[in-house]
């Protein structure tokens, strides 16, 4: 496959996945903001949303104080923000258009219709009228595109590069989510005896789980009250949790093996070592050595892996 074609397919799915992840986190922040809480706590939540995407400096430089309305607008419809939902869906659609002949008609029409529809919704004010419904729509369109891909695309190199983009982006986002959200909750993992604080913590951890569609999975796996150390274990080490780091790296390695040639041995080795660390890791060891340090290192290794994939398979930046 031409590296230019592989590049478009890979980034088409990375941008589509990024739009869904942003919608998920914004939706949880929006719903949490409707619950009784102090202004300071709400502020931390919205600042955390920007920190996950490393956009807090960019936002404050252009908009000043962090507010719910400002963050929502910045992360949803600001075309100057390349990580906003509108910008991501535009980039996904443009990458899809560049390789229109590689995609099935059904997949192209799904990507194109999503772009046309979100423009109509933004212009008509549907986002402002019901943000929750808008975020659910973004998630639904992402699910639809993924289902159309699985149901209509030939499982060839094009398919594998698309899947690589999806799961590398998802791994990066899940790691950022866990890092920022756990860092914001500085209280000891063993909890507190204050009933009001315990109740607030309960909704906080549920919010994190819901942002990755993990609440029902958590209850099925652990059958117990929500505990932060188990939330971390679910989102990092459980291979059967679809959005966990371990599950994502399983998909990355499997798809990488399908496209790797004789010159990609070091890239495969890097991906395999990263997966092995998750496969044989233990949450008590991770927490004892420092969750933030672990996730920072993970993100560095994922970014390095992404660079290796680009160097081995994708279009050179100078092209």
């Amino acid at each position: 496959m031409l590296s230019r074609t592989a590049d478009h397919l890979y980034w088409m799915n990375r941008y589509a996945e990024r739009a869904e992840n942003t919608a998920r986190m914004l939706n949880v922040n929006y719903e949490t903001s409707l619950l009784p809480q102090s202004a300071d706590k709400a502020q931390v939540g919205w600042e955390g949303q920007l920190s996950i995407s490393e956009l807090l400096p960019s936002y404050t430089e252009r908009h000043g104080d962090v507010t719910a309305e400002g963050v929502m607008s910045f992360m949803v419809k600001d075309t100057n923000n390349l990580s906003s939902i509108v910008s991501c869906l535009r980039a996904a659609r443009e990458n899809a258009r560049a390789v229109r002949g590689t995609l099935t008609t059904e997949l192209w029409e799904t990507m194109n219709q999503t772009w046309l529809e979100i423009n109509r919704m933004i212009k008509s004010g549907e986002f402002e009228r019901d943000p929750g419904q808008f975020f659910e729509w973004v998630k639904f369109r992402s699910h639809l595109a993924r289902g159309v891909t699985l149901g209509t695309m030939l499982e060839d190199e094009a398919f594998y590069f698309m899947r690589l983009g999806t799961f590398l982006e998802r791994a990066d986002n899940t790691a950022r989510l866990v890092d920022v959200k756990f860092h914001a909750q500085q209280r000891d993992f063993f909890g507190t005896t204050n009933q009001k604080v315990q109740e607030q913590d309960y909704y906080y951890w549920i919010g994190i789980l819901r942002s990755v569609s993990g609440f029902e999975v958590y209850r099925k796996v652990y059958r117990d009250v929500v505990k932060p150390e188990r939330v971390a274990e679910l989102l990092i080490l459980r291979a059967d949790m679809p959005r966990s780091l371990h599950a994502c790296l399983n998909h990355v390695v499997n798809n990488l093996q399908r496209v790797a040639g004789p010159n990609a041995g070091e890239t495969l080795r890097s991906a395999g070592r990263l997966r092995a660390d998750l496969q044989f890791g233990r949450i008590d060891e991770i927490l004892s050595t420092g969750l933030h340090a672990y996730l920072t290192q993970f993100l560095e290794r994922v970014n390095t892996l992404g660079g290796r994939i680009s160097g081995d398979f994708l279009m050179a930046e100078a092209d």
Side-chain angles (χ1 to χ4, degrees), residues 25-38:
M25 291 182 291
L26 283 171
N27 193 34
V28 169
N29 265 8
Y30 170 70
E31 292 183 351
T32 302
S33 69
L34 302 178
L35 298 172
Q37 60 180 322
S38 67

Side-chain angles (χ1 to χ4, degrees), residues 95-313:
N95 278 285
R97 185 176 61 84
V99 289
R100 169 67 185 85
T102 305
L103 307 178
T104 61
T105 299
E106 292 90 342
L107 181 54
W108 161 249
E109 289 180 347
T110 299
M111 301 293 291
N112 192 47
Q113 184 61 37
T114 298
W115 170 241
L116 296 174
E117 187 68 9
I118 194 173
N119 277 282
R120 183 195 64 78
M121 295 173 76
I122 294 295
K123 290 177 181 177
S124 66
E126 289 187 34
F127 162 60
E128 286 83 0
R129 285 196 296 272
D130 192 344
Q133 186 62 35
F134 174 84
F135 295 137
E136 287 299 324
W137 177 86
V138 175
K139 289 164 56 180
F140 170 76
R141 296 302 298 187
S142 179
H143 295 164
L144 179 62
R146 204 154 42 241
V148 171
T149 299
L150 291 170
T152 67
M153 287 288 293
L154 180 69
E155 293 191 20
D156 59 2
E157 285 189 333
F159 179 86
Y160 302 137
F161 278 114
M162 291 165 65
R163 301 286 281 174
L164 264 177
T166 293
F167 291 106
L168 205 62
E169 181 67 29
R170 187 177 295 181
D172 179 272
N173 189 267
T174 298
R176 291 177 186 275
L177 169 73
V178 175
D179 189 24
V180 170
K181 293 299 186 181
F182 274 72
H183 185 68
Q185 200 74 351
Q186 293 289 343
R187 197 172 298 108
D188 191 318
F189 282 155
F190 292 104
T192 173
T193 57
N194 186 304
Q195 185 174 355
K196 184 176 180 180
V197 171
Q198 285 180 336
E199 183 177 338
Q200 291 174 343
D201 283 354
Y202 175 76
Y203 287 112
Y204 182 87
W205 299 116
I206 284 181
I208 294 175
L209 290 170
R210 289 186 61 196
S211 69
V212 292
S213 297
F215 179 60
E216 292 174 340
V217 174
Y218 181 98
R219 299 305 295 267
K220 186 174 183 179
V221 171
Y222 297 106
R223 300 180 183 277
D224 197 359
V225 297
V226 178
K227 298 180 179 179
E229 62 269 24
R230 288 181 173 175
V231 173
E233 180 181 55
L234 183 72
L235 300 186
I236 296 173
L237 300 178
R238 292 284 308 202
D240 49 359
M241 167 61 189
R243 307 188 78 87
S244 74
L245 303 186
H246 190 176
C248 290
L249 262 295
N250 280 342
H251 286 292
V252 168
V253 171
N254 292 341
N255 286 281
L256 195 55
Q257 288 173 337
R258 302 294 185 95
V259 298
N263 298 324
E266 190 59 33
T267 301
L268 265 174
R269 178 175 173 271
S270 296
R273 288 189 63 183
L274 190 52
R275 179 175 67 171
D277 288 345
L278 293 165
Q279 182 178 356
F280 297 106
R282 292 178 53 179
I283 196 60
D284 55 340
E285 294 175 349
I286 292 173
L287 294 178
S288 64
T289 56
L291 183 62
H292 176 66
Y294 176 88
L295 292 171
T296 298
Q297 184 184 56
F298 177 86
L299 285 167
E300 290 174 353
R301 295 172 70 185
V302 164
N303 289 333
T304 299
L305 177 59
R308 287 189 176 278
I309 291 172
S310 295
D312 288 347
F313 305 107

